[in-house]
């Protein structure tokens, strides 16, 4: 695997190397499956900006150390910060801001994806001009499992997949493997895992960023494939019929009706899984993907930033923290959702999650090329207010009044 090139004794969570005309960025948290913390998002942004502005760099490769590309966001970080308002706001801001720059990067990007690529980790892979997976790659957007929503640009990406596949993947968190990821349009090439090191070496020998040359090399290593008969991608007629319904309730009703038909035994386990998920998370996810179909990339990221921070602030529900507790912390796999049923989650509540922030508190994405690397977290009002609150918190006792009110001003 290409990941073996990274020395295991390196402690940097993100390693950037310049080899000839090629920049190589490695997410280096192998013992944590390369989950993305606020620090990782910060460093990825800094290193990608430097390489984009460096005239000598013609191509950038991104990969993960160890047996995963990236398992997504650092859920323990979210859980540990649950008692302090906006403790993870910096991380979400930096990550969504980074996602925009990966989508719009000015030089060819190649992702070498071996192993797990999920959630926020997959958001680094999918938008790249060249996204190379292996037969061991596993893709999913599993956020609904913990009462969250597919973010990091996935309301934009999922909504643009064929038919209603995006709704299906977003709501169920279903996994795609290897060739399915390419067939779904979430990666560009599949290469046998044993050839990934050699592919990387060939890419490192390039002296230009010519996309035809890059693609020619990747094609030398890539293989043709056929999707297995039982693949979810061969169930698209049912998925399109059921997951095009207007509401989550109607989707489940339609899906259940299909489950009783001959040859549809695959539906029942999926249906059982869906019924165990957070009603709030499911409704947020469906609405976000549906809106994403008509929104620009920057609009989707700004919307997701609002959604995520309102969820983290428990605006209408504690489900995210309960989901992380049940799946990651206590691992009892028995989350206690509230509200408990879909019909208890009202549109008025959802509107609070999607409500626009004041303009200066929105995610700042500057789309003009000359300003594209501006709008960083460090220049946002959040940076000043949250850092001020943290300074006060160090001085005052944990029970001192005023800290919450300072942060609630955001």
């Amino acid at each position: 695997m290409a990941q073996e090139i990274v020395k295991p004794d390196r402690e940097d969570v993100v390693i950037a190397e310049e080899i000839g005309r090629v920049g190589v960025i490695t997410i280096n948290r192998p013992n944590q499956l390369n989950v993305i913390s606020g620090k990782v998002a910060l460093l990825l942004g800094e290193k990608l900006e430097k390489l984009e502005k460096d005239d000598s760099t013609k191509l950038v490769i991104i990969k993960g150390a160890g047996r995963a590309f990236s398992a997504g966001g650092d859920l323990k970080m979210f859980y540990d910060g649950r008692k302090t308002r906006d403790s993870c706001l910096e991380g979400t801001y930096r990550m969504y801001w980074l996602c925009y720059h990966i989508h719009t990067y000015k030089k060819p990007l190649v992702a070498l994806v071996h192993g797990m690529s999920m959630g926020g980790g997959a958001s680094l892979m999918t938008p790249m001009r060249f996204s190379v997976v292996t037969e061991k790659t596993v893709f999913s957007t599993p956020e609904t499992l913990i009462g969250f929503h597919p973010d990091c640009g996935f309301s934009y990406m999922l909504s643009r997949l064929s038919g209603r596949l995006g709704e299906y993947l977003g709501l169920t968190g279903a996994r795609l493997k290897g060739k399915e990821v390419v067939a779904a349009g979430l990666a560009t090439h599949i290469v046998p895992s044993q050839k990934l090191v050699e592919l990387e070496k060939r890419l490192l020998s390039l002296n230009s960023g010519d996309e035809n040359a890059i693609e020619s090399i990747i094609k030398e290593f890539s293989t043709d494939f056929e999707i297995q008969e039982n693949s979810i991608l061969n169930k698209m007629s049912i998925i399109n019929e059921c997951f095009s319904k207007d509401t989550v309730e109607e989707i489940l009703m339609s899906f259940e009706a299909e489950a009783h038909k001959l040859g549809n035994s695959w539906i029942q386990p999926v249906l059982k899984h869906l019924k165990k998920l957070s009603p709030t998370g499911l409704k947020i996810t469906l609405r976000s993907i549906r809106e994403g179909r008509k929104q620009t990339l920057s609009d989707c990221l700004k919307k997701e930033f609002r959604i995520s921070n309102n969820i983290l602030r428990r605006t209408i529900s504690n489900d995210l923290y309960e989901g992380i507790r049940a799946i990651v912390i206590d691992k009892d796999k028995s989350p206690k959702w509230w509200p408990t049923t879909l019909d208890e989650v009202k549109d008025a509540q959802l509107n609070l999650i999607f409500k626009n922030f004041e303009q200066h508190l929105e995610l700042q994405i500057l789309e003009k090329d000359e300003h594209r690397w501006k709008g960083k977290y460090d220049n946002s009002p959040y940076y000043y207010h949250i850092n001020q609150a943290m300074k006060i918190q160090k001085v005052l006792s944990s029970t001192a009044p005023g800290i919450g009110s300072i942060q609630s001003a955001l």
Side-chain angles (χ1 to χ4, degrees):
M1 297 184 296
Q3 290 80 355
E4 293 171 357
I5 291 174
V6 178
K7 297 179 181 179
D9 59 345
R10 294 285 292 272
E11 294 183 358
D12 315 59
V13 295
V14 175
I15 299 171
E17 303 166 283
E18 295 179 55
I19 303 172
R21 297 282 186 154
V22 181
V24 181
I25 296 177
T26 306
I27 306 171
N28 190 40
R29 302 183 74 190
N31 293 335
Q32 295 81 35
L33 299 178
N34 298 322
V35 295
I36 302 169
S37 63
K39 182 178 180 181
V40 170
L42 167 64
L43 292 173
L44 284 172
E46 289 178 347
K47 296 181 188 308
L48 283 168
E49 179 180 2
K50 179 178 181 292
L51 291 170
E52 184 181 281
K53 292 178 176 178
D54 183 355
D55 291 338
S56 66
T57 301
K58 303 300 181 183
L59 162 69
V60 178
I61 295 171
I62 297 183
K63 59 183 182 175
R67 59 193 177 92
F69 179 72
S70 172
D74 190 339
L75 299 182
K76 190 173 184 300
M77 173 188 74
F78 288 125
Y79 192 77
D80 289 347
R82 69 193 182 281
K83 294 181 180 179
T84 303
R85 181 182 169 92
D86 290 344
S87 63
C88 297
L89 188 148
E90 176 179 347
T92 58
Y93 191 107
R94 292 193 188 281
M95 186 62 191
Y96 297 172
W97 186 86
L98 168 66
C99 287
Y100 177 80
H101 291 81
I102 288 178
H103 276 265
T104 60
Y105 206 66
K106 302 303 181 184
K107 294 179 179 179
L109 286 171
V110 178
L112 298 180
V113 184
H114 184 76
M116 195 176 295
S117 181
M118 296 185 173
S123 76
L124 304 178
M125 167 196 90
T126 298
M128 294 191 184
R129 174 63 185 86
F130 302 101
S131 184
V132 181
V133 300
T134 75
E135 76 282 358
K136 296 182 180 180
T137 300
V138 179
F139 167 96
S140 76
T141 49
E143 288 83 358
T144 55
L145 188 64
I146 55 167
F148 204 51
H149 67 113
D151 60 336
C152 298
F154 268 113
S155 69
Y156 179 83
M157 292 182 280
L158 290 176
S159 65
R160 282 157 176 78
L161 297 182
S162 175
R164 300 295 173 162
L165 180 60
E167 281 97 331
Y168 179 83
L169 295 177
L171 291 169
T172 66
R175 295 185 174 193
L176 300 178
K177 297 181 180 179
K179 52 194 177 184
E180 290 179 312
V181 185
V182 179
L186 293 159
T188 60
H189 299 81
I190 183 166
V191 168
S193 56
Q194 66 269 24
K195 294 184 178 181
L196 208 56
V197 167
E198 186 60 31
L199 169 60
E200 183 177 357
K201 289 178 180 177
R202 286 286 304 279
L203 291 171
L204 292 175
S205 70
L206 284 173
N207 291 315
S208 78
D210 180 75
E211 292 192 354
N212 290 328
I214 296 168
E215 184 161 26
S216 178
I217 287 176
I218 295 173
K219 282 184 174 180
E220 285 183 37
F221 292 85
S222 62
T223 58
D224 296 328
F225 60 86
E226 291 184 4
I227 298 300
Q228 293 179 350
E229 185 178 347
N230 64 350
S231 169
I232 194 65
L233 300 181
N234 286 325
K235 316 291 186 185
M236 286 303 300
S237 60
I238 293 175
I239 289 173
N240 289 341
E241 172 64 26
C242 298
F243 286 78
S244 62
K245 304 305 181 189
D246 290 339
T247 67
V248 177
E249 291 93 330
E250 289 173 325
I251 287 172
L252 293 179
M253 190 180 303
S254 176
F255 209 34
E256 190 142 25
E258 290 290 337
H260 297 298
K261 296 180 181 179
L262 186 64
N264 287 347
S265 59
W266 64 275
I267 293 178
Q268 202 55 245
V270 181
L271 196 58
K272 183 179 179 181
H273 170 72
L274 278 168
K275 290 179 178 180
K276 290 182 178 180
L277 300 178
S278 159
T280 303
L282 289 174
K283 286 203 169 184
I284 290 172
T285 294
L286 182 62
R287 176 167 166 177
S288 181
I289 293 173
R290 291 279 167 82
E291 289 186 2
R293 193 166 272 119
K294 299 178 181 179
Q295 292 173 324
T296 65
L297 169 64
S298 59
D299 286 339
C300 282
L301 288 166
K302 290 175 183 179
K303 171 195 65 186
E304 292 169 6
F305 178 70
R306 294 190 291 269
I307 294 171
S308 293
N309 284 298
N310 279 324
I311 290 175
L312 288 164
R313 291 168 177 171
R314 300 181 175 92
T315 299
I316 66 171
S317 173
N318 186 59
D319 279 3
L320 170 62
Y321 300 113
E322 173 60 13
I324 297 175
R325 180 207 63 76
I327 304 303
V328 178
I329 307 301
D330 297 338
K331 299 181 181 179
D332 57 41
K333 297 183 180 180
S334 298
K336 305 297 186 293
W337 306 123
W338 185 89
T340 59
T341 62
L342 289 165
D343 62 357
E344 291 178 283
V345 184
K346 306 301 182 183
D347 288 345
Q349 293 173 296
L350 295 178
N351 290 341
L352 296 175
I353 294 289
F354 283 79
K355 184 179 179 180
N356 287 357
F357 292 161
E358 293 180 35
Q359 181 56 40
H360 69 292
L361 296 177
E362 297 280 8
L363 180 69
Q364 299 300 308
I365 294 175
L366 305 180
E367 299 185 40
K368 291 185 178 179
D369 285 354
E370 63 267 31
H371 302 304
R372 65 182 260 100
W373 290 101
K374 295 183 179 180
K376 297 178 181 178
Y377 172 79
D378 310 72
N379 299 321
S380 74
Y382 295 111
Y383 179 82
Y384 172 77
H385 286 291
I386 291 177
N387 276 276
Q388 284 297 104
M390 289 176 65
K391 289 177 182 178
I392 294 171
Q393 196 168 19
K394 288 180 181 179
V395 176
L396 302 176
S397 69
S398 60
T399 59
I403 294 175
S405 61
I406 290 171
Q407 291 180 319
S408 65
L410 298 176

